[in-house]
Amino acid sequence: MSTSHKYVFGPVPSRRLGYSLGVDVVPAKTCNLNCVYCELGRTTRQTLERRSYVPMDAVLADIRNAVAVIEQIDFITFTGSGEPTLNADLGRMIEAVRAFTKIRIAVLTNGTLLYLPDVRRDLARADVVIPSLDAVSEEAFRRVNRPHGRLNLADIIEGLKQFRREYNGQLWLEILFVKGLNDQPEHVRQLKRVIQDTRPDRVQLNTVVRPPAESNIEPVAQEWLEAVRRQIGEKAEVIASFQPHDHQRICDNKMDTILALVSHRPVTLQDIHDSLGYSEANIREVLDHLRQQGRIQEKRHLNRVYYFVPLREEMNGE
Ligand code: SF4
């Protein structure tokens, strides 16, 4: 493949954004939360510090290369192996991307820094902002998200409301429920009140699907999510499985391409097939090879086999 894989990955078939080119702007597991359900494992660098974690020019060069050679990208999505709003250059990167492409831009964020005016200013430049809000009680917040000690839930909720007042783009709130931790009826009632005050364009309900950071974590039932969807109202949706478009990816180096996909999140063989269009036999052959080389590992979760790259402390070459 002619694009660099250091800061971009995919496009991956996203449940919400179609074919989404991911952009990774912080080193692996640099986050201010340590969610029990995190599919990337436990947070290794828990920080509130906003700074230039990765070279902005290199990130922009990767995006520019990917846009030049990849046929279909529905969204350029700032996300990745940690919390993207910790990168102090985020707003400038979004502006720079706008200057060379019309592809829509999304940011997936845990939403915890929206109480900071400069973070709200950065995010306001995106077309779609998808913040998380799993808890509206301090107790549930600490149980599910295990935040940095200086984060305060009241500030976070107020930041979210303030952002809604200032932001004209699409705001999609994601709530992830974990069985026994944030699924009490009273908690759902409180969430509903915060949602009414926040007025997101969509509310996306999710649960633990991929292998979580803590092995004793369990998903809530699909029927329970459907009941919460009805309770929250017409803007709510249970995030459904993604159905890919019928087209081929342009990547020609299967090994590099599959490794790039696996290195950003645990994926199943089906995920790789949906994203890249390779035959199952081809994918299986490459995965076996990568596993024998010790570059990936596999793990069974909820009757599915996920492939992942063992967590590195830092991104290569940093
Ligand atoms: S799920 Fe997101 S917010 Fe939570 S620890 Fe993982 S990277 Fe951070």
Side-chain angles (χ1 to χ4, degrees):
M1 186 181 180
S2 53
T3 55
S4 159
H5 285 294
K6 192 164 177 188
Y7 300 110
V8 303
F9 56 99
V12 288
S14 153
R15 287 170 289 188
R16 302 170 274 199
L17 299 168
Y19 281 102
S20 161
L21 182 77
V23 185
D24 207 349
V25 291
V26 290
K29 278 320 306 260
T30 300
C31 194
N32 47 18
L33 301 182
N34 182 18
C35 305
V36 290
Y37 59 76
C38 185
E39 63 191 44
L40 304 165
R42 291 181 187 158
T43 297
T44 49
R45 184 192 289 185
Q46 193 165 35
T47 179
L48 290 179
E49 188 188 6
R50 291 199 85 206
R51 66 176 175 87
S52 304
Y53 285 95
V54 292
M56 182 168 127
D57 289 349
V59 174
L60 293 173
D62 273 9
I63 300 172
R64 197 189 288 271
N65 287 342
V67 166
V69 299
I70 295 173
E71 200 176 273
Q72 183 174 354
I73 301 173
D74 298 317
F75 270 95
I76 294 169
T77 305
F78 288 84
T79 170
S81 332
E83 172 49 34
T85 61
L86 285 171
N87 191 313
D89 301 322
L90 181 62
R92 290 199 298 141
M93 284 194 256
I94 294 173
E95 282 295 299
V97 172
R98 284 223 182 283
F100 63 76
T101 178
K102 291 192 174 355
I103 298 172
R104 288 171 297 169
I105 297 172
V107 182
L108 287 172
T109 169
N110 64 26
T112 51
L113 297 182
L114 282 167
Y115 67 91
L116 298 172
D118 52 340
V119 170
R120 294 200 298 275
R121 247 189 326 268
D122 284 357
L123 290 177
R125 295 166 162 147
D127 299 290
V128 178
V129 175
I130 309 178
S132 304
L133 184 69
D134 304 326
V136 290
S137 77
E138 202 58 53
E139 199 191 342
F141 184 43
R142 304 215 167 266
R143 273 198 307 247
V144 175
N145 303 114
R146 301 187 298 193
H148 186 283
R150 296 211 309 276
L151 279 175
N152 176 297
L153 183 63
D155 289 345
I156 293 169
I157 294 173
E158 194 42 50
L160 192 57
K161 291 180 189 171
Q162 183 62 28
F163 184 62
R164 173 72 293 180
R165 287 193 282 271
E166 298 168 2
Y167 178 57
N168 295 322
Q170 285 284 307
L171 183 68
W172 302 351
L173 190 66
E174 177 175 357
I175 304 167
L176 191 143
F177 291 100
V178 181
K179 190 173 174 185
L181 297 190
N182 61 347
D183 61 344
Q184 297 78 8
E186 179 52 27
H187 189 251
V188 176
R189 275 194 289 276
Q190 288 174 13
L191 262 171
K192 185 176 176 182
R193 280 197 290 275
V194 172
I195 291 166
Q196 283 166 342
D197 290 347
T198 312
R199 297 177 292 107
D201 298 287
R202 296 189 193 176
V203 180
Q204 303 188 312
L205 308 177
N206 205 350
T207 190
V208 188
V209 179
R210 294 173 192 275
E214 305 302 334
S215 56
N216 57 345
I217 292 308
E218 289 182 49
V220 295
Q222 183 80 19
E223 305 74 50
W224 187 89
L225 276 181
E226 288 295 342
V228 172
R229 179 185 63 76
R230 290 191 292 274
Q231 189 178 343
I232 289 179
E234 57 178 17
K235 286 182 185 163
E237 58 188 322
V238 174
I239 299 177
S241 291
F242 179 80
Q243 296 299 318
H245 306 306
D246 182 20
H247 77 278
Q248 292 287 313
R249 304 282 88 219
I250 58 97
C251 310
D252 52 7
N253 185 330
K254 292 190 174 68
M255 177 102 73
D256 282 355
T257 308
I258 290 175
L259 187 59
L261 196 60
V262 175
S263 70
H264 285 278
R265 62 194 301 208
V267 290
T268 62
L269 192 147
Q270 186 66 43
D271 292 333
I272 299 170
H273 173 72
D274 292 347
S275 178
L276 302 174
Y278 302 156
S279 74
E280 291 197 8
N282 259 329
I283 297 168
R284 208 176 288 284
E285 191 184 341
V286 171
L287 290 173
D288 283 349
H289 188 69
L290 288 170
R291 218 182 29 213
Q292 279 159 18
Q293 289 183 331
R295 298 170 79 184
I296 64 168
Q297 294 178 6
E298 65 176 48
K299 179 172 174 179
R300 183 169 283 279
H301 177 68
L302 299 177
N303 293 324
R304 288 182 178 175
V305 175
Y306 287 85
Y307 298 90
F308 65 99
V309 172
L311 187 63
R312 301 155 295 170
E313 288 294 316
E314 300 289 341
M315 294 170 88
N316 291 337
E318 255 226 311

